[in-house]
Amino acid sequence: MKKVSSSKVGGLMAFAKKRSTCIGCKAGLSHDGAVCKCCENKESQIYQKEISKLSTLEEKFSRLWTQCQRCQGSFHEEVICTSRDCPIFYMRKKVIMDLNDQTKLITRFGVDNW
């Protein structure tokens, strides 16, 4: 009879560690910053690009939110929509998730938000 040892946590992922990667070149980082040593000279360009993405997502969310307000018939109240048939509902939820991810990415730069 042969004994086979196995992980109690879950396969090979029990041995994996989650590491941050450089936003510019995707290289592994040993610190909690946003960019590696090679990309430090391009940090301002990378930051501006990520801020631009955030701005685009905010604008998209604003347009979807306004569309939901039009559908609801009120521009002065919170949107109370849970329609699973509406494609705008799902787009709005996806944009919210993307906004949260982008905000987390920007906080890695260590710059205070206004």
Side-chain angles (χ1 to χ4, degrees):
M1 186 183 243
K2 186 176 182 182
K3 288 186 179 180
V4 178
S5 63
S6 63
S7 173
K8 303 275 189 241
V9 180
L12 290 174
M13 291 310 292
F15 304 104
K17 284 187 177 179
K18 186 174 181 179
R19 277 186 12 186
S20 297
T21 57
C22 174
I23 297 171
C25 65
K26 307 292 185 221
L29 295 175
S30 58
H31 56 84
D32 289 336
V35 294
C36 64
K37 297 276 186 205
C38 298
C39 295
E40 278 183 354
N41 58 348
K42 298 185 285 184
E43 185 174 11
S44 62
Q45 294 170 348
I46 295 169
Y47 180 72
Q48 287 178 350
K49 185 177 83 170
E50 297 304 326
I51 289 291
S52 175
K53 285 181 188 178
L54 179 69
S55 178
T56 302
L57 286 170
E58 287 173 341
E59 183 180 339
K60 186 174 182 178
F61 176 75
S62 175
R63 288 182 182 178
L64 291 170
W65 184 263
T66 304
Q67 182 65 34
C68 286
Q69 285 177 322
R70 281 189 196 122
C71 181
Q72 183 174 316
S74 173
F75 289 103
H76 304 291
E77 295 178 12
E78 178 107 13
V79 174
I80 308 170
C81 176
T82 57
S83 174
R84 299 198 187 271
D85 294 334
C86 180
I88 293 176
F89 174 77
Y90 288 107
M91 282 190 275
R92 189 167 51 100
K93 291 298 180 183
K94 175 155 181 9
V95 170
I96 288 172
M97 289 177 9
D98 292 345
L99 269 170
N100 289 335
D101 292 343
Q102 190 68 19
T103 303
K104 287 177 189 174
L105 186 117
I106 287 175
T107 57
R108 287 179 51 195
F109 284 97
V111 179
D112 293 334
N113 290 335
W114 294 79

